[in-house]
Each structure stands twice: as C-alpha cells, then as structure tokens.
C-alpha cells in the first residue's frame, strides 16, 4: 500500500548556516490510509517541527530542511510546485492543534467558518449547501442544537466545544490525512475523553490516515495502532503501539513508561529519569539519551546508534538492542547506576 | 447555613483522626463579585467555593482534584489567606484564621506556604537563588548567621548543587525552577505547604523527579501538604486523602485508597474512568464519557450541581442539594444515589 504520508531521514535546522541548531535529526516514519500513528515524546523532542516541516508550514528562514524527503500519497512534496502543495495542505490534510482559538476566526460565525472551508475547495457547491453541510458536520462532532450554535462566535464556546469546531473544519473536505498535535492537552480529562471519541469517529467516517501527537502515553495507547517515540529530535523506537508499550526495547521508551504515573501504579513504581532533556544548544554527542541512560557504555557517548529494523515490526536506535527469535531484547554488559 | 452542621457531623465520626489534623476547613465559602457596574442591577456573584469542609492530617498529603474552574486554586489561596473567605472557618493550630487581620496573619504566613504551577511567575527574575532563598528568612527575621547554613541545607534538600547559588532563574530548566520554588517555600520550616499544580507544566520524566522529591521531603520533615491537581494518576500515587470538587462543592472525599478503590459519586467515577489507560488489554471496563461541559459557576444548576451531566440524575436531584455524608471509613459522598 502507498503510505498517505511518508517521511524519510527528515532533518530540520534553525538559524544561520554554520551556527545551525538541529531540531529534527534523521526522522523516518510513515502512516497508511485508515491507520492512526501516535507520536510521543517530551516537550522539545521535535514532534511538531517534524510535521510542520514535512508539510511546508515552517517559515524558512529560520527553518531549513537540510536532508530527507517527504512523500504525500507517493508524490515527493519537494518536487511539487508551491501552489499544488498549498492545495494538498488545504484540502487533503486536516489540522487539529492544541489551542483551538488560534485556528479560529474570532469575527466570523462558526457556521460560516466551517462552510468557508468547504467553499474554498469546492467552488461549485454554493454557500447555501455549504452551510447545510456545516450543520451536518457540527452534529457529527457532537454539538447539540447545531443550527442555533452555527450562528455563534468562537468566544462564546468552551475549550472543548471550540476543539469540536476545529475538528469539523479539519474533516470538512474528507481529508486523506488528519494531523492532531496535542489536541487535548489544554482540556480537562472528561472533555479529553469526549474529544478523543470525536477524533476517532471523524477518522472512521473519513478513513483518513491520522497522526496523533501527544506527550501522554495513555492517550497514545488508547488511540494509536502504531507508535513513534521521539527524543532530542530523533526517533528512538517505533512499532506496533501495544507491543512497544508492553515490551519496550529502547532504554528511553522503557524509562518513559516507568516514570509515567498510571491509575495502577504506586508511588514506588514511578521511577524518574535523572537529569533533563537536552536543549538544542547542548546536544550530547553519540546517543542523545546517553547522559540519562542507565545502560550507557563508552561507545554511547562517541557513536550515534543507527536507527534500524529489529524483527519484522520494530525499529530501534540503540547500540545494544539485538534481534532475537522472539523479536528483540536489550543486551548490555552491565547496568551502571545513573 | 445548616449544611455546615451536617458536614461537621459527618466528619465528626472519627474524632481521633481529627486530633491529628494540623489544618481543618469548615464550611469554607468564597464568592467573587462579578461587578457589571450597571445601574439598578444587583451585583452578580461567582460561587467559586461553596461550603467546603475537610481536614489535613499531619505528615499527610491531601489532594484537591476537579476540572478547571472547580475552585481548587481558590480553596488553596483562601487557606493560605492570600484571599479572604466569604464565610467558614479555617482552623490552624486550634485557631480560626479565616478572618484575622494582616498583623495577626504574619504568624500564619510563616506556617502556611504556597507553591504555584508556574515557577516563572513566582520567582523574581532579577534575584539570584541565594537572594530568593534569603528573602523569606529576612522577612521572618531569622538570625543572620543561620542564613548561610540554611540555604545550603535547602539546596541539598531539593537536590540542587551549591554551585548554582549565584545563578538567576532564567539559567534553570522548568524542573529546576520548581525545585527553587519548593526550597523557598520550605525555607522557614512551615507546617503546611499548598502546592497548586506543581508538576503540571513539567515533562513527565521531570514530574516524576519532583513527585519523589516531595515525598522524601515529607517523610523527612513531617510537613503536611495540600496538593492541587487535575491529574488523577499523580494524585493517586502521592495523596493520603482526596477531596473531589465540582463547581465549588465537595462531591466526594476520603482516604485515597477508599476513594480510588471504590468511588461512590458518579462524578468521581467519571473522572477516574476518563483517565486514558496505558494498557488497552488490561482496561476492559466500559468507559464513562460525560456529556457536555462544566456549567458556568456564575449560574450553577439547582439542586445537585452535577446533575446536568449526571447519568443517574432523577427529579429530586434538581430540587434538593444532596448533603455530604460519611461512613466509618471517613469516606464522604454528596449524592442522592451513591454507589
Ligand atoms: N478573582 C476572581 N474574580 C472572579 N472570579 C474568580 C476569581 N478567581 C477565581 N474566580 C472564579 O472562580 C472559579 C474557581 O476558580 P479556580 O481558579 O479556583 O479554579 P481551579 O479549580 O483552580 O481551576 P484550574 O484547574 O483552571 O486552575 C472559576 O469560575 C473562576 O473563574
Ligand atoms: N521557530 C523556531 N526557532 C528556533 N527553534 C525552534 C523553533 N521552533 C521550534 N524550535 C525548537 O525545535 C525543537 C523541537 O520543537 P517542537 O517540534 O516544537 O517540539 P515538540 O513538539 O516535540 O514539543 C525545540 O527545541 C524547539 O525549541
Ligand atoms: S545507545 Fe547507549 S545510551 Fe543510548 S539508549 Fe542505547 S544503551 Fe542507552
Ligand atoms: S445527586 Fe443526583 S445528579 Fe447529583 S450525582 Fe447524585 S444522582 Fe447524580
Ligand atoms: Mg509540539
Ligand atoms: Mg487553578
């Protein structure tokens, strides 16, 4: 199958040549039609920059793609003319961001905003039909009394309702790709549960490939079939979401799972990762996780581990993960006390 | 206000627990005026906190949970007396500090400290770590010769190297800044610290560091704390007791194990159920997804405030507010039809 979006070796830097800061470093992943890919990582790990750069949404300068390629439905975006890329972005990709208010127009009724998103990409439909379709979309995303609410303005809605409006706009043109970047981070858990359901339904209705970015492993576990774990601008591990969460191979993935409190864990089960994520200015040499890794060896500080396939369905970037008959495992001479 | 007495009655079940309480609020109420300044119209009020009662046990952590706008911060700021309560009692060391004046408050401020979510806002960017930690010592007139050793001790406690003492807040990461804020709150050895979402802005790996730090500090110093959070998995891990707020009212309260083990209020059940679980295979229970949003606190529903989102609501819920009633395990619930 041709992936809806395929990112290969994407490398993105900020700043002037010679004094560049690498925000994204050799990231590779793809998402198939109808599939939900979860991208997880702590703040600053490059989750958003990867996607924004891939879809040509980062202003350049200061951003620069220095390596890699991005294909949308098998077509290289870099070789397409700017107009075509804009068209794909507007019609075939739906965006849902963390803060819904910034993606809505404060002086336009929400019904008109949704209708406009339709009219822009389908000149033949006409405003009247578009408005009717807007009302349909609003009820699809679970807004009660859509006809009345369509005449209201964004500021009259709660954060959860605004996010529903954004989702309605995102799916208005039956996108091929849905990108949800921390869509529920600003919301209460009860509202988060509603919005995740709406995103799931929206995806089922449209059959769009979905990329869900979150720092919350629980959200990813509930929603995604595949997972990509990012750290310091690189992919550390990727594979089937359930497998990775149950049997992480990369030390960072394992550490991330062990430090996250869950509704089953006791205080003693929560193991912090020592230190903190590196800033772009002081990226560690070798494996970017090595200053915090309890399994690090001398080689980890000097050589960047290759991102490679382990077994049929897993990719890992660690010197000490080996392929075995059951899949893979971490084999290190001895753990050190970090 | 006959609600108060019934709440008191509930809490009075276990008297010896109360004996060990360092802090107790009874019928705490805070209304904010939303002054529209329209002629002839009465002022409107937000009932941010309405008749809240609970006790904080020594060495214990009491967590306050609830959705945004439920009144968590207002409870915290009122107890720290950064706000004056509209009514109710705040019993600290046997004295009611709810209405005492600024001068008498000095003694209280020494004993009850508050740490906020955003350390950037609470740490003066023009002060070094040394100055930040010295300030409370100076304000509360600690002998000068004790400043230096105390600062060293504090840095040790929160796990920051002594060499950082002359740096400014912007030279630190979010987690380190929160350590500085915690050290500052600890400086004059308060009996109670109120933490308002202290880890919500931090990355999960750093959040875990701070959680473990707080636990260690509490074990070492016997500090009692109020931990305000919307994150139930964090609360479950670190709290001894929990109070669940909804639109300014207590829905359910009790020992953590009890409350998370067998939640009795529909709202608590929904909150717990909404937490995304890490392992799909293990979490087969049907999820409860609440309908709708939090109603406006300026205009809360009649009767039970949760009724507009409650799947168990009956007619009586719209007319009669359920009272908070407790059992022998100090598990309290305000619902006409609890589990
Ligand atoms: N100074 C004020 N004036 C008017 N209303 C206020 C004031 N402070 C708080 N409120 C209102 O009181 C209610 C409770 O607010 P509070 O900040 O205590 O909630 P919270 O539970 O801490 O929410 P969050 O999770 O968003 O921090 C809200 O409706 C809020 O808008
Ligand atoms: N416009 C920009 N200029 C300079 N650095 C940037 C810019 N945007 C993002 N970055 C940096 O790139 C890194 C990755 O950012 P981002 O992708 O937003 O992280 P995430 O989404 O994983 O939290 C961070 O260190 C961030 O500070
Ligand atoms: S390469 Fe080394 S430092 Fe990096 S994760 Fe593997 S063992 Fe740890
Ligand atoms: S009192 Fe009624 S509305 Fe309120 S929680 Fe109980 S059943 Fe639901
Ligand atoms: Mg981001
Ligand atoms: Mg608050």
């Amino acid at each position: 199958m041709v992936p809806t979006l395929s990112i290969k070796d994407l490398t993105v830097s900020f700043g002037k040549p010679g004094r560049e800061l690498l925000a994204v470093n050799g990231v590779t992943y793809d998402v198939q039609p109808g599939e939900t890919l979860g991208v997880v990582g702590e703040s600053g790990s490059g989750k958003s920059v990867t996607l924004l750069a891939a879809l040509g949404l980062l202003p350049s300068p200061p951003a620069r793609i220095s390596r890699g390629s991005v294909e949308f439905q098998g077509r290289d975006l870099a070789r397409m003319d700017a107009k075509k890329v804009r068209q794909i972005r507007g019609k075939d990709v739906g965006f849902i961001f963390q803060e819904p208010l910034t993606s809505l127009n404060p002086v336009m009724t929400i019904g008109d905003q949704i209708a406009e998103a339709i009219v822009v990409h389908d000149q033949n439909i006409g405003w009247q039909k578009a408005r009717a379709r807007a009302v349909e979309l609003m009820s699809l995303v679970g807004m009660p009394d859509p006809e009345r609410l369509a005449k209201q303005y964004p500021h009259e809605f709660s954060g959860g309702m605004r996010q529903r409006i954004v989702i309605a706009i995102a799916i208005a043109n039956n996108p091929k790709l849905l990108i949800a970047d921390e869509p529920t981070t600003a919301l209460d858990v009860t509202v988060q549960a509603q919005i995740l359901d709406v995103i799931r339904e929206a995806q089922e209705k449209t059959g769009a490939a979905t990329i869900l970015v979150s720092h919350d492993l629980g959200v990813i576990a509930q929603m995604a079939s595949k997972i990509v774990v990012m750290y310091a601008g690189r992919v550390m591990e990727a594979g089937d979401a359930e497998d990775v969460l149950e049997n992480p191979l990369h030390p960072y993935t394992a550490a991330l799972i062990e430090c996250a409190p869950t509704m089953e864990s006791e205080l003693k089960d929560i193991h912090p990762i020592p230190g903190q994520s590196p800033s772009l200015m002081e990226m560690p040499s070798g494996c970017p996780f090595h200053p915090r890794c309890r399994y690090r060896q001398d080689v980890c500080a000097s050589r960047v581990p290759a991102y490679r396939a382990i077994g049929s369905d897993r990719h890992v970037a660690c010197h000490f993960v080996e392929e075995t008959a059951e899949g893979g495992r971490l084999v290190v001479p001895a753990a050190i006390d970090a | 206000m006959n609600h108060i007495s019934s709440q008191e009655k509930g809490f009075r079940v276990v008297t010896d627990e109360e004996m060990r309480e360092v802090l107790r609020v009874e019928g705490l109420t805070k209304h904010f005026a939303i002054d529209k300044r329209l002629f002839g119209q009465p002022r409107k009020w937000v009932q941010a906190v309405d008749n809240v009662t609970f006790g904080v046990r020594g060495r214990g952590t009491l967590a306050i949970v609830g959705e945004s706008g439920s009144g968590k911060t207002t409870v915290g700021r009122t107890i720290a007396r950064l706000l004056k309560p509209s009514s109710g009692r705040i019993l600290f060391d046997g004295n009611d500090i709810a209405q005492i004046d600024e001068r008498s408050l000095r003694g209280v401020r020494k004993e009850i400290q508050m740490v906020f979510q955003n350390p950037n806002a609470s740490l003066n960017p023009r002060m070094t770590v040394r100055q930040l930690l010295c300030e409370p010592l100076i304000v509360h007139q600690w002998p000068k010769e004790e400043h230096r050793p105390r600062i060293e001790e504090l840095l040790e406690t929160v796990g920051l190297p002594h060499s950082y003492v002359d740096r400014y807040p912007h030279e630190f990461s979010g987690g380190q800044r929160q350590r500085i804020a915690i050290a500052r709150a600890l400086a004059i050895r308060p009996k109670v610290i109120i933490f308002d979402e202290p880890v919500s802005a931090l990355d999960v790996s750093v959040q875990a560091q701070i959680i473990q730090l707080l636990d260690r500090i509490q074990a070492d110093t016997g500090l009692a704390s109020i931990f305000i959070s919307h994150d139930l998995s964090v609360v479950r891990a670190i709290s001894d007791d929990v109070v669940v707020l909804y639109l300014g009212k207590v829905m359910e309260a009790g020992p953590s194990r009890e409350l998370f083990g067998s939640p009795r209020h529909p709202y608590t059940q929904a909150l717990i159920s909404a937490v995304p679980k890490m392992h799909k295979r293990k979490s087969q229970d049907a999820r409860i997804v609440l309908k709708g949003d939090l109603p406006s606190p300026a205009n809360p529903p009649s009767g039970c405030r949760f009724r507009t989102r409650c799947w168990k609501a009956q007619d009586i819920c719209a007319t009669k507010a359920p009272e908070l009633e407790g059992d022998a395990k100090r598990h309290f619930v305000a619902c006409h039809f609890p589990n």
Side-chain angles (χ1 to χ4, degrees), chain B residues 22-23 54 56-57 59-64 76-77 79-80 92 108-116 150 154 157-158 178-198 214 217-218 221-228 238:
Chain B
V22 272
L23 183 95
F54 60 78
V56 185
R57 295 187 275 168
R59 291 184 177 269
T61 299
L62 174 125
I64 304 178
R77 294 177 63 90
I79 293 173
F92 179 71
V108 173
R109 301 223 188 282
K110 206 155 72 188
E111 306 288 2
I112 306 178
Q113 290 283 314
M114 193 153 177
V115 172
F116 299 94
R150 182 63 183 148
L154 285 167
T157 306
V158 298
Q178 202 55 295
R179 286 174 197 266
I180 298 167
I182 291 169
R184 205 170 125 89
L186 286 169
I188 47 172
R189 298 204 173 93
K191 290 209 176 83
V192 180
I193 299 185
I194 299 161
F195 296 97
D196 190 358
E197 308 264 12
L214 292 181
I217 290 172
Q218 241 173 334
T221 62
L223 181 80
S225 69
I226 296 179
F227 190 94
I228 295 170
I238 66 155

Side-chain angles (χ1 to χ4, degrees), chain A residues 188, chain B residues 30-34 46-49 65-77 83 117 196-197 228-230 245 247-248 294 296-298:
Chain A
D188 279 312
Chain B
K30 178 68 189 174
H31 293 178
F32 291 106
I34 11 179
V46 182
Q47 311 183 353
V49 174
V65 302
E67 285 168 281
S68 180
S70 58
K72 307 181 294 294
T73 298
T74 306
V75 169
R77 294 177 63 90
L83 288 172
Q117 168 171 357
D196 190 358
E197 308 264 12
I228 295 170
S229 176
H230 65 273
L245 285 186
L247 287 179
L294 204 71
S296 160

